[in-house]
């Protein structure tokens, strides 16, 4: 075994193999994969090999398509067959919600370049004659997908990687990872030590243990999973083509052809965690005991929906473990606080995802950037809240819901509440329907007295529609209170703070007493943050951003190292806040504040440290509603008092609570985009329109060269808000935007604009179509809805109310 390598990959399952291949392909040929047993001996060898492009996140779908398309390339390169059966996929719906979900997939697929179609049940039966169509109401067919041979595929990656110069050592167990002062690692194995610049945890079932080697607790857990192989099925005899791989959502069953019979698997509601505390060292190429009794009800449904399966015997049952993260998406990327330690684990769909994971990870390692937005599989989407118990509750929930479609208005209940603000109970008493953001409960909308704080999961307008409308109208006509504790909050202090921030952010850093909107770019000029910076004094800054991105932003800042004279810390749990917005906001706050809040004295983007009632606070004149608005920040010990005093002071002014749903509507009426939804690392600063906040006169900031180059040529596409002739549903996100029959862009977010009485969609279109009034079309749940570009906000286009 060699004693040094640029990168050592721990784990020879399909994910480690793909990572090895991609690193070698990108030019890192001095890479070594260490496998404690045979290749594939974790969860890979007994997988069903199913592959598909379906994922709720468009970027992950795109990477899944890349994975599937890659197989031909590695076959050609390695001479090793992946055992491909590219027979496509069928998804069956049994109720309106499932049907809507399939229609949404179709709308999204057009821009992603994936061939899909809603088909009749008769057509579905031609593709899979085993379906009893009486149980279903509709079907989607997709060209991509099928199944492959797990072992052949892993070997093909490895053989192709070896051709490129990469090396593999089997039967070599990594025992320890010892960091060196320069950030490199001594990888201590049972066969000796390898010095590596980088290590990558691809240890699958043992990812948790390989995390422990460096003192981290990754949110990953294994579940048992069963599938059955039947004896030959007479109905399949003599068919020229294999049946199409089929997913039955209501039955929570997947099935496909396996030789002359079928393979049928299920994700049961009461799944069993495997090895909850420690994965056994000696587990290798093993299966787990069958548990037919527990699974019988699920397979019974399968035998009803596919009756021919019930008429033949079971040839073999497979029960094996594989790993999940709390939300079912992989954990990929560098880990904050560790140098040169990367993860690619919790991959529950390795044959759909490993190729894409290897691709982005190799780019990230070689170029310092994954090359596209992958926030939804970034390990940084979890923070300290993702404890082992949280992971255990969420992974079980996720497993049980694997084939239950997630509705856009649905909030999942497991492991909640985890983080609560001091006014949580007050908000509940006011009728709040809660969501969770980075583990913190926050109000989505408020059920008025006499109305249950419940919402039917749906893709269409729900019973909350009129309630949210009332919240929006109250904000625009009087004043509303929205809790902002779930925003990301950071303090940057010290002599070098301004200089450091100047380099990190593309915007001008505000003077003391002022706040500025602050885009943050990566070197390619793409958006990695859309935050605001308040300057409290020359050496003290409060930064506000998206709560879900806390770990992501902290990692970014730590990577771009604050110097010794700068202190950076998260104020996530030490600062709580509210936004007070509406034409009567000033009147309300002035009752609690001695400072003169008149328009001339405390202008838009002014900042003050002052008492608000009994609470010492930071007060900013800012907000996200487009109305006259303030944000008040105080520490959690004062927060309840602040809330009570605001509430008392606002009683006669018409003060209402408003939640996240109303905020989404109010911001889109003003054409404001939001980080993660509309602004992501996929988009350049000029595409988002945030270039208006960039200070091009600065001689240095991250992304400056790229932003300047883009300024010279103009952006290729632009963020726009569109007014949509919707029927009874708003866009969800990622629907294709159509012009003259061709998909030209896609939606990033949407909401009903209650105060302008129009359905709104935000998204990206080619620059030449970003014209006022341009007529486009968006497919919403199967209806081609006309969408007109509105470059000016439909509400208060001159911003008079904001500045009032
Ligand atoms: C029954 C079943 C059916 C499935 N069906 C499908 C399907 O149809 N489609 C699909 O896409 N996915 C399916 N999966 C999931 C799929 O198996 C996983 O996504 C995939 O195997 C994950 O691969 P991995 O490389 O991350 O992990 P693993 O396959 O677990 O590989 C990790 C490797 O790391 C090695 N290792 C661990 N610790 C060390 C150490 N200290 N030193 C050296 N080596 C170490 C292990 O020996 C192991 O080989 C199924 C899983 C099961 C259980």
């Amino acid at each position: 075994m060699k004693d040094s390598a640029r990168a050592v990959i721990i784990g020879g399952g399909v994910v480690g193999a793909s990572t090895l291949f991609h690193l070698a392909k990108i030019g890192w040929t001095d890479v070594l994969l260490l496998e404690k047993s045979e290749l594939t001996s974790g969860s890979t060898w007994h997988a069903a090999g199913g592959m598909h492009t379906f994922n709720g996140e468009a970027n992950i779908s795109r990477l899944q398509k890349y994975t599937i398309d890659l197989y031909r390339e590695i076959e050609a390169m390695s001479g090793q067959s992946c055992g491909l059966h590219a027979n496509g996929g069928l998804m069956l719906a049994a109720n309106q919600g499932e049907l809507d979900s399939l229609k949404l997939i179709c709308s999204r697929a057009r821009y992603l370049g994936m061939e899909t179609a809603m088909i009749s049940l008769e057509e579905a039966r031609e593709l899979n004659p085993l379906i009893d169509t009486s149980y279903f109401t509709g079907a989607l067919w997709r060209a991509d997908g099928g199944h492959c041979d797990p072992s052949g595929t892993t070997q093909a990656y490895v053989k192709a990687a070896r051709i490129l110069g990469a090396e593999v050592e089997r039967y070599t167990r990594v025992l320890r990872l010892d960091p060196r002062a320069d950030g490199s690692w001594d990888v201590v194995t049972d066969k000796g030590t390898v010095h590596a610049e980088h290590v990558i945890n691809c240890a699958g079932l043992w990812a948790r243990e390989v995390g422990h080697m460096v003192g981290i607790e990754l949110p990953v857990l294994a579940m048992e999973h069963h599938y059955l192989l039947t004896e030959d099925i007479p109905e399949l005899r003599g068919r020229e083509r294999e049946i199409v791989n089929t997913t039955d959502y209501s039955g929570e069953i997947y099935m496909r052809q396996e030789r002359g019979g079928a393979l049928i698997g299920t994700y049961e509601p009461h799944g069993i965690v495997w090895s909850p505390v420690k994965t056994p060292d000696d587990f290798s190429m093993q299966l787990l005991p069958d548990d037919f009794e527990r699974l019988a009800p699920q397979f019974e449904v399968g035998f009803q929906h596919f009756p021919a399966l019930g008429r033949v015997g079971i040839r073999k049952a497979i029960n094996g473990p594989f790993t999940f993260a709390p939300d079912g998406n992989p954990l990929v990327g560098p880990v904050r606080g560790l140098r040169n330690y990367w993860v690619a684990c919790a991959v529950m769909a390795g044959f759909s995802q490993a190729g894409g994971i290897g691709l982005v990870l190799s780019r990230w390692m070689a170029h310092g950037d994954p090359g596209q937005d992958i926030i939804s599989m970034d390990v940084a989407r979890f923070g300290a809240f993702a404890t082992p118990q949280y992971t255990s509750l969420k992974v079980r929930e996720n497993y049980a819901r694997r084939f239950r479609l997630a509705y856009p208005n649905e909030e999942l209940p497991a492991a909640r509440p985890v983080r609560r603000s001091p006014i949580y109970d007050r908000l509940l008493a006011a009728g709040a329907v809660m969501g969770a953001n980075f583990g913190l409960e926050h109000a989505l909308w408020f059920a008025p007295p006499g109305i249950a704080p419940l919402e039917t999961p749906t893709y269409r307008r729900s019973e909350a529609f009129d309630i949210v409308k009332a919240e929006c109208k109250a904000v625009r006509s009087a004043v509303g209170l929205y809790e902002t504790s779930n925003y990301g909050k950071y303090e940057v202090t010290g002599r070098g703070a301004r200089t450091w921030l100047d380099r990190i952010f593309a915007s001008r850093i505000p003077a003391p007493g002022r706040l500025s909107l602050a885009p943050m770019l990566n070197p390619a000029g793409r958006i990695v943050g859309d935050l605001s910076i308040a300057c409290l004094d020359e050496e003290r800054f409060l930064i506000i951003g998206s709560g879900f991105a806390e770990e992501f932003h902290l990692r970014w800042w730590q990577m771009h190292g604050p110097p010794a004279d700068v202190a950076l810390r998260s104020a996530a749990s030490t600062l709580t806040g509210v936004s007070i917005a509406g034409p009567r906001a000033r009147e309300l706050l002035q009752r609690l504040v001695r400072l003169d809040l008149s328009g001339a004295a405390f202008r838009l983007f002014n900042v003050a440290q002052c008492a608000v009632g009994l609470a010492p606070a930071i007060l900013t004149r800012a907000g996200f509603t487009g109305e006259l608005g303030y944000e008040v920040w105080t520490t959690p010990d004062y927060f309840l008092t602040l809330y009570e005093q605001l509430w008392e002071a606002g009683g006669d002014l018409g003060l209402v609570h408003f939640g996240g749903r109303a905020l989404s509507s109010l911001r889109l009426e003003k054409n404001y985009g939001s980080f993660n939804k509309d602004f992501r690392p996929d988009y350049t600063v000029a595409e988002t329109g945030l270039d208006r906040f960039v200070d091009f006169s600065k001689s240095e900031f991250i992304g400056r060269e790229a932003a300047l180059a883009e300024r010279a040529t103009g952006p290729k596409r632009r963020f726009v808000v569109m007014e949509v002739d919707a029927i009874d549903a708003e866009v969800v996100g990622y629907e294709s935007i159509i012009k003259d029959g061709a998909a030209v862009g896609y939606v990033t977010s949407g909401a009903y604009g209650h105060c302008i009485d129009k359905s709104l969609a935000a998204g990206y279109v080619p620059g030449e179509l970003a014209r006022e009034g341009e007529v486009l079309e968006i497919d919403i749940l199967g209806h081609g809805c006309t969408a007109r570009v509105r470059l000016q906000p439909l509400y208060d286009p001159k911003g008079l109310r904001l500045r009032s």
Side-chain angles (χ1 to χ4, degrees):
M1 181 170 70
K2 60 205 253 175
D3 58 11
S4 77
R6 184 149 194 203
V8 162
I9 294 161
I10 306 170
V14 66
V15 175
S18 165
T19 305
L20 185 79
F21 166 72
H22 282 92
L23 279 174
K25 191 174 175 196
I26 212 162
W28 282 29
T29 49
D30 179 20
V31 284
L32 173 65
L33 184 151
L34 300 178
E35 166 54 54
K36 67 182 173 60
S37 178
E38 253 325 325
L39 294 173
T40 77
S41 61
S43 58
T44 296
W45 70 280
H46 51 54
M51 51 189 201
H52 56 85
T53 51
F54 172 60
N55 192 287
E57 281 292 327
N59 277 340
I60 298 188
S61 282
R62 208 178 269 139
L63 288 173
Q64 293 186 188
K65 176 147 170 57
Y66 165 82
T67 301
I68 294 169
D69 291 346
L70 179 69
Y71 290 147
R72 296 285 181 216
E73 180 184 328
I74 56 171
E75 276 186 334
M77 208 173 151
S78 64
Q80 163 75 49
S81 166
C82 295
L84 292 178
H85 296 249
N87 45 359
L90 255 184
M91 299 160 96
L92 300 174
N95 57 45
Q96 187 59 45
E98 288 171 3
L99 204 54
D100 282 349
S101 150
L102 298 188
K103 289 176 181 168
L104 176 62
I105 293 171
C106 260
S107 174
R108 289 171 166 173
R110 281 185 76 177
Y111 187 68
L112 294 172
M114 295 172 191
E115 208 185 328
T116 60
M118 295 301 295
I119 58 171
S120 68
L121 290 170
E122 292 67 44
E123 288 168 308
R125 247 184 83 78
E126 277 169 31
L127 298 170
N128 182 348
L130 307 185
I131 303 169
D132 179 344
T133 51
S134 68
Y135 289 99
F136 301 102
T137 54
L140 177 149
W141 167 83
R142 47 167 212 258
D144 295 313
H147 55 101
C148 62
D149 164 25
S151 170
T153 301
T154 309
Q155 296 291 350
Y157 276 127
V158 167
K159 284 184 185 170
R162 279 185 163 137
I163 290 168
L164 295 169
E167 291 181 39
V168 174
E169 293 289 344
R170 293 173 305 138
Y171 295 97
T172 306
R173 183 189 295 269
V174 175
L175 302 172
R176 247 180 31 235
L177 293 169
D178 295 338
R180 288 196 186 182
D182 65 355
S184 64
W185 297 90
D186 281 325
V187 182
V188 182
T189 79
D190 55 359
K191 303 269 170 66
T193 297
V194 188
H195 176 231
E197 197 179 320
H198 297 264
V199 292
I200 309 141
N201 176 352
C202 297
L205 292 175
W206 294 264
R208 178 181 47 187
E209 283 69 23
V210 173
H212 291 165
M213 290 179 190
V214 294
I216 56 169
E217 192 66 62
L218 290 165
V220 54
L221 193 63
M223 299 288 294
E224 293 192 13
H225 181 65
H226 280 70
Y227 64 80
L228 308 176
L229 297 166
T230 72
E231 289 173 345
D232 285 0
I233 297 172
E235 284 83 344
L236 298 181
R237 213 166 286 146
R239 273 179 65 87
E240 274 178 24
R241 297 193 56 191
E242 272 189 351
I243 60 172
V244 170
N245 290 21
T246 303
T247 309
D248 161 9
Y249 287 100
S250 65
E252 305 192 321
I253 291 284
Y254 62 89
M255 62 121 1
R256 66 164 170 86
Q257 189 162 344
E258 174 69 20
R259 299 189 201 152
L263 179 155
I264 170 170
T266 185
Y267 287 83
E268 66 278 15
H270 304 292
I272 302 284
V273 173
W274 182 71
S275 292
V277 179
K278 185 177 186 309
T279 306
D281 285 341
D282 57 356
F283 187 85
S284 171
M285 295 260 176
Q286 276 159 262
L287 291 176
L288 306 173
D290 303 327
D291 191 350
F292 289 133
E293 210 166 304
R294 187 166 61 79
L295 291 163
Q298 259 56 51
F299 285 124
E300 280 304 321
V301 174
F303 298 151
Q304 282 165 15
H305 292 186
F306 306 93
L309 303 188
R311 292 194 287 267
V312 294
I314 301 301
R315 186 162 58 82
K316 202 170 164 189
I318 306 280
N319 180 17
F322 67 121
T323 52
F324 296 78
D327 60 2
N329 280 332
L331 299 174
V332 180
V335 175
R336 179 167 77 89
L338 293 171
R339 280 165 75 190
N340 300 336
Y341 180 91
W342 304 78
V343 297
C345 59
V347 183
M348 65 102 162
F351 297 94
S352 303
Q353 296 179 334
I357 290 170
L359 176 74
V360 293
L361 197 60
S362 63
R363 287 180 181 158
W364 211 339
M365 294 177 69
H367 304 144
D369 187 302
Q372 65 169 90
D373 161 48
I374 58 143
I375 289 177
S376 42
M377 62 182 194
D378 190 330
V379 62
R381 72 190 183 279
F382 294 104
F385 69 91
T387 58
Q389 189 175 1
Y390 173 92
T391 302
S392 170
L393 293 166
K394 276 293 181 199
V395 164
R396 278 183 280 166
E397 177 186 64
N398 184 271
Y399 186 90
R401 295 181 50 95
R402 172 83 174 91
F403 280 156
R404 238 173 281 162
L405 298 162
Y407 291 93
N409 65 338
E410 201 175 7
E411 297 294 323
L412 303 184
R416 293 186 47 204
V418 177
R419 297 175 60 211
R420 278 176 278 187
S421 94
I423 63 167
Y424 172 79
D425 287 337
R426 299 299 173 96
L427 298 185
L428 279 190
V433 174
M434 294 283 183
N437 181 16
F438 216 61
L440 183 65
E441 297 291 316
H442 67 107
L444 299 171
W445 55 277
F446 290 82
I451 294 187
L454 296 170
E455 191 180 15
T456 312
T458 177
Y459 283 87
R460 298 178 189 255
R461 291 174 191 157
S462 77
E463 52 272 62
F465 186 81
D466 287 328
I467 299 170
V468 173
K469 180 190 288 269
E471 288 177 21
C472 292
K473 293 205 159 172
V475 172
R476 296 249 187 262
S477 64
V479 57
L481 180 152
Y482 172 79
E483 187 185 8
T484 51
S485 304
N486 69 328
Y487 290 2
K489 295 148 288 184
Y490 316 88
E491 272 180 18
V492 179
T493 52
R495 272 224 315 264
R498 177 175 292 276
T499 312
W500 182 65
L501 291 173
D502 233 344
R503 189 167 64 79
I504 297 298
F505 286 92
S507 59
R508 204 171 51 77
I509 306 303
R514 293 289 291 162
L515 173 147
S516 67
L517 303 179
M520 195 163 67
L521 314 184
N522 66 15
R526 294 177 188 276
I527 297 290
V528 289
D530 167 31
L531 302 101
S532 62
I533 304 177
C535 181
L536 304 178
D537 63 46
E538 198 44 56
E539 294 186 5
R540 191 163 159 239
F541 296 85
L542 171 65
I543 300 180
I544 305 292
S546 309
F548 89 94
E550 184 189 320
E551 191 73 15
F552 177 85
H553 282 147
L554 285 172
R555 184 182 63 192
W556 181 261
W557 291 325
Q558 286 178 2
M559 276 179 171
H560 297 88
D565 58 355
V566 177
L568 159 71
R569 75 175 187 95
S570 164
S573 301
T574 53
L575 214 51
T576 38
V578 287
S579 160
I580 303 290
R584 307 198 77 175
R586 177 180 293 125
E587 207 177 335
L588 191 165
L589 270 171
Q590 193 67 80
R591 292 177 178 180
L592 296 171
V593 170
R594 296 227 172 139
L595 191 78
D596 177 4
L597 294 183
S598 64
F602 199 67
R603 290 176 298 127
L604 182 64
F605 297 147
N606 269 15
V607 178
Q609 295 178 78
C610 63
V612 179
L614 291 166
I618 297 167
L619 180 68
T620 65
R621 188 171 159 192
F624 209 34
T625 63
E627 294 296 332
L628 168 68
Y630 302 85
E631 284 175 4
V632 189
W633 300 99
T634 193
T635 49
D637 47 350
Y638 289 99
F639 193 46
L640 187 53
T641 304
L642 172 73
Y643 170 81
E644 286 173 349
Q645 288 198 293
L646 286 166
W647 207 249
E648 248 168 58
D652 63 329
L653 301 176
L655 180 65
V656 296
H657 287 108
F658 68 108
R661 295 274 179 77
L663 191 63
S664 297
S665 166
L666 297 167
R667 72 153 178 104
L668 276 179
E669 288 179 345
K670 289 293 299 171
N671 286 20
Y672 297 158
S674 161
F675 187 64
N676 191 30
K677 288 188 174 137
D678 309 303
F679 305 151
R680 287 178 160 228
D682 276 337
Y683 313 119
T684 62
V685 66
E687 287 173 349
T688 58
L690 293 174
D691 52 340
R692 64 189 184 279
F693 303 117
V694 172
D695 180 2
F696 285 103
S697 69
K698 293 201 294 189
S699 59
E700 196 206 341
F701 61 85
I702 299 171
R704 183 171 180 272
E705 282 68 36
L708 275 173
E710 186 182 38
R711 191 162 69 148
T713 57
K716 292 197 184 65
R717 55 184 175 177
R718 281 187 190 274
F719 175 70
V720 293
V721 172
M722 294 156 280
E723 170 191 331
V724 187
D725 295 343
I727 302 171
D728 62 351
E730 272 57 66
V731 294
V732 173
Y734 299 125
E735 291 90 343
S736 302
I737 300 173
I738 311 292
K739 178 75 186 174
D740 299 332
V744 291
Y746 67 91
V747 167
T748 49
S749 70
Y752 195 81
H754 290 289
C755 299
I756 51 171
D757 220 5
K758 292 186 190 319
S759 184
L760 299 172
Y764 286 82
V765 297
E768 63 277 14
L769 297 180
R771 288 181 303 212
E772 179 63 28
E774 179 72 41
V775 178
L776 305 163
E777 189 183 292
I778 302 175
D779 172 347
I780 303 182
L781 305 180
H783 294 284
C785 302
T786 301
R788 287 176 202 82
V789 172
R790 294 296 178 217
L791 295 182
Q792 294 300 316
L794 288 168
Y795 181 80
D796 187 23
K798 295 207 162 70
L800 300 178
R801 298 174 71 96
L802 183 70
R803 291 184 174 75
S804 65

